[in-house]
Amino acid sequence: MPNSSESAQPSFIEMVVPNKIFEITRFESAHIEHNCSITALIDPVTIGYIYDLDRIVSVLTDPDIIKYQDKLLQEAVKGISDKTVDIDHIQIGLKLTEQDYDVLMDKKTGLTNVKTKNRMARLHVTRKGLGAVNRGFKKSDRRPFFSHKYRMFMDADLYRYIDVLIADPRHPRNQRKLAYNCLIECIPTRLTPQHISLMLFHIKSALKPGRYDQLVEYGLLLRIDTGYIMHGVSQLFAFTMRNDTNVKKGSCIPDDGRAVETTYIGHRDYKHVIAYDKVLKENKLFIEKVFGWQRIDFERIADQIEGLEQWFPNQAASLRIESRELLAKEPLLLREMNDSSSLLQDVVFVRPEALLDIESEKLKDLLKNKSLYKVRSLRKRLAAAHKYMSNKYLIKFDAEQVHAAFTPIVNQLKQKILHPSNRLPEPFPINYSAQVIAARQLVKPLIEKLRSKHDSPNKIVRSAKSAIYVEGCPGSGKTKLIIKRVKHLLNSGVDAANICVLAFTREASNEFKTRLSEKGLLRPEMFVGTFSSWCNQELLNRPHGKVLNQEKCVEAIKQLLPKKGKLVRKFDNEDLARTIFSILSYAANFDQPKYDTCIDKIAPQLEDLKKEVIGVISEFAEWKKEGEIVDFNDLLVKSRNRLTEKKKADKTANRFEHIILDEVQDTNSV
């Protein structure tokens, strides 16, 4: 957007908060020219790495840039201290009584009531929706079933908050032995210790001081993430692993053939390490805050943003390493939280200088997949080339230094939790939410201009194009538009037998039938139904055939699980059955699925138990065959196979003139 010198209005790029955080001139060790070469590998339109792997490899093998990155990485690893590390996420659990619950829920004196004028002017407590917090809840869970969620934030900055989730002790699902029924969590890197202290003091004042002290005395530490940003170091040069040989799992994002942005080392549901491009992540987050609210993709107006080409070159490449200690199954007492450890002490990097020993094609392959297996294989190759000289190809953290770095900040946070203060903190120099709102206002004219170019509903309804794709947010009238489209087709002389309206659920298809009937548009020869019924009737000649839904499939798989063995000892039956169903759903995309490969992709946690899992899959297939039962995945596979027959394909292709498919974004390749 043009920047008017008269009004001194900042450009959109100047409003992006991460620009101020990662401004390259803030870091003395950053080499501006080399940094520009690295950040030029980021596409500012998609906010991700460019697709040109050859170009990325040319930077990763540039001797001067390699030397620069090697030096920065070594300095960062050796320079870790309590001045550079942080706590990125914390969850604590408290065990409330029914009386505690009633006190917090009281509208006049409870959690939503902020005391004193000074605090009222800055601290806000709002009720939030629970979202997916109870998703997948089972009676056997040791976690509580939450009924309320509150968010505390200061100075109208919703970016910096503490969430409080409370489970009603009287709720039938909480009538069991629970270690905690109140969860308090926050991202401390977004707050100062004083902010955390004041917000916890608010909880203390609602409960009454003595009671809060009793609760935290036996409170639990459920999660603590510790992290370290290496400013100047690019994630592209980071090939990360752990010394712990018991760690065998890992995954990467994205996995679509581009260079990896994020690597998980360890299983995500347990303790693990994550290495990612911090600059990419923070810029994506800001853009999502600005444009997600507008329901418009940034890519659609990026070409109108002035200064976009300087967006990332002005920021120092920054690698973020985090240790995620998920302790819910074996929590620590809060008063013992300084006994928690950081997995960073176990982290090992391949030295950037060692990349010169790797062929370009191998390096491209590694860029697309930085999984633990791949990086450990790289380590073996380098070890063979540099016998007994691991310092030539590896860089490691010093365990004692890591412990010394994190101990003071963990102790500081512990003191703020156990002994919160009512002292008001200084406001943040940057109000993140205010910056988001200001950025929205700057791009608002561009968005309105883009929206004015959209086709009108009337134009869509009357379009003569052979393929029409319609986007619209919930409640925008897509269903109404489909009904109008059918009316237009009938009024235009299209035979009702040539119109097909498909939905994915029975509820949605019944909604279409009802609305068409109310408008006098429903015809017996018109096909209005689910995708499943269409496959049965039009492709498989089984018009009255039943299809087993997902829940019944999961229940059947659960019954077929072995009664004994490592598989059922290690995993919950319900979770295991759902995971196996997910593997089968993924396998349906392939003509001849290799289940071991599908397991690697969908459920790497089952890698060591592939034989047993494939055995359950075989039994499930046999069970369906004996009962002449078909599930949705079978339906897809059988339908696709029928369409390999030329006569059937030709007949199907010419069966309808107009096919309307609701929720088309839910389709996959099959």
Side-chain angles (χ1 to χ4, degrees), residues 60 69 73 230 233-241 260 263 275-276 319-321 348-350 352 355 366-367 370 375:
L60 263 64
Q69 285 291 290
L73 183 58
M230 301 181 182
V233 179
S234 168
Q235 189 278 148
L236 286 166
F237 283 85
F239 296 89
T240 316
M241 69 195 104
V260 167
T263 304
Y276 61 90
L319 168 67
R320 171 80 174 174
I321 307 290
V348 181
F349 301 97
V350 173
L355 299 179
L366 280 163
L367 282 168
K370 291 186 175 184
V375 180

Side-chain angles (χ1 to χ4, degrees), residues 467-537:
I468 309 166
Y469 183 85
V470 180
E471 282 185 333
C473 62
S476 61
K478 295 188 296 294
T479 302
K480 187 177 180 181
L481 187 141
I482 288 172
I483 304 303
K484 287 185 175 181
R485 175 70 175 171
V486 172
K487 181 179 180 180
H488 169 72
L489 294 175
L490 292 173
N491 290 343
S492 301
V494 175
D495 189 335
N498 285 325
I499 298 173
C500 174
V501 181
L502 297 177
F504 278 100
T505 66
R506 189 176 291 109
E507 291 77 14
S509 68
N510 286 340
E511 174 73 8
F512 283 124
K513 286 177 181 176
T514 300
R515 293 216 197 178
L516 287 167
S517 180
E518 288 173 350
K519 299 287 184 182
L521 302 172
L522 190 63
R523 307 284 189 272
E525 61 273 30
M526 187 186 294
F527 190 97
V528 182
T530 62
F531 190 75
S532 305
S533 61
W534 182 82
C535 288
N536 268 327
Q537 184 170 315

Side-chain angles (χ1 to χ4, degrees), residues 455-631:
D455 293 319
S456 67
N458 191 49
K459 185 177 178 182
I460 295 169
V461 166
R462 296 176 175 276
S463 176
K465 292 182 178 180
S466 59
I468 309 166
Y469 183 85
V470 180
E471 282 185 333
C473 62
S476 61
K478 295 188 296 294
T479 302
K480 187 177 180 181
L481 187 141
I482 288 172
I483 304 303
K484 287 185 175 181
R485 175 70 175 171
V486 172
K487 181 179 180 180
H488 169 72
L489 294 175
L490 292 173
N491 290 343
S492 301
V494 175
D495 189 335
N498 285 325
I499 298 173
C500 174
V501 181
L502 297 177
F504 278 100
T505 66
R506 189 176 291 109
E507 291 77 14
S509 68
N510 286 340
E511 174 73 8
F512 283 124
K513 286 177 181 176
T514 300
R515 293 216 197 178
L516 287 167
S517 180
E518 288 173 350
K519 299 287 184 182
L521 302 172
L522 190 63
R523 307 284 189 272
E525 61 273 30
M526 187 186 294
F527 190 97
V528 182
T530 62
F531 190 75
S532 305
S533 61
W534 182 82
C535 288
N536 268 327
Q537 184 170 315
E538 298 295 326
L539 295 177
L540 303 179
N541 299 321
R542 52 192 301 270
H544 304 296
K546 291 185 177 180
V547 180
L548 210 63
N549 65 26
Q550 179 177 334
E551 292 307 314
K552 289 184 179 177
C553 285
V554 169
E555 192 58 39
I557 293 170
K558 198 158 59 171
Q559 299 303 318
L560 295 169
L561 292 172
K563 305 302 178 191
K564 297 179 180 179
K566 194 174 180 181
L567 191 65
V568 290
R569 281 202 311 273
K570 197 170 180 181
F571 299 97
D572 175 81
N573 281 11
E574 178 78 19
D575 291 341
L576 191 56
R578 291 189 180 279
T579 302
I580 291 174
F581 182 79
S582 296
I583 293 166
L584 288 167
S585 297
Y586 179 70
N589 285 287
F590 305 97
D591 290 323
Q592 295 180 323
K594 295 180 180 178
Y595 286 113
D596 56 346
T597 305
C598 294
I599 292 169
D600 288 339
K601 180 73 175 177
I602 300 301
Q605 71 272 24
L606 299 176
E607 183 183 18
D608 299 334
L609 299 164
K610 286 181 181 177
K611 187 176 179 181
E612 292 88 336
V613 173
I614 293 171
V616 175
I617 289 171
S618 298
E619 286 191 45
F620 181 55
E622 189 61 33
W623 175 79
K624 288 187 291 182
K625 185 178 178 181
E626 288 177 1
E628 297 182 347
I629 296 167
V630 174
D631 65 23

